[in-house]
Amino acid sequence: MTDRKLSNVAKAYLCRFYEILEQMTENMTEAELTDSLSHNFIVQMIPHHMAAIEMSENLLQYTTCVPLQNIALNIIDEQTKSIDNMKNILCQCGEQDNTPLDLCLYQEGFSQITCTMFTQMKNACSTNNINADFIREMIPHHEGAIRMSQNALLYDICSELVPILEAIIKSQKKGICEMKKLLRSV
């Protein structure tokens, strides 16, 4: 957090943000992994998406910025659908095993990506401008989802998972562009 005095509203917003971030970090790093890279991606991405939903709901309690409200509502909608899609294929995709080498390489990439994401989110500039704070927190979150999806696509994964990963990459890139543009004006 910054040394500037934060308003009670900013403190409440940020307190909840850090709670969500801590829970996401714990749920992603402690997910029960198997010999299926597809399974592992899903059980680690669901808490990531759930956190984005909760972070967006947190923002919606405080923001009056209509474009940012629309972005947050879109995050909630898209990531809820993505979670449902991943849950629907989890059992089937969990049957596809990967080699120990692929599992190790995938998880190593995943760990590097998430370490960067967690650090950038935790260290995002915190101010009395909740709108700008949310954008600075959510951009690395979206970038992490893109990189995690791209990492999974490097390996032999369940064919049902591929369109979900492609949709994550497309929607998160679009969201980043919208947020970067909006950050200039909030």
Side-chain angles (χ1 to χ4, degrees), residues 16-32:
R16 181 67 184 126
F17 164 74
Y18 288 118
E19 288 172 359
I20 297 166
L21 178 59
E22 184 178 325
Q23 189 66 54
M24 177 187 77
T25 303
E26 183 179 314
N27 290 344
M28 289 180 72
T29 55
E30 294 179 6
E32 190 171 325

Side-chain angles (χ1 to χ4, degrees), residues 24 48 51-52 79 117 121 137-145:
M24 177 187 77
H48 182 270
Q79 301 210 8
M117 178 186 65
M121 291 180 72
E137 297 154 359
M138 193 55 66
I139 287 174
H141 188 273
H142 276 24
E143 289 171 340

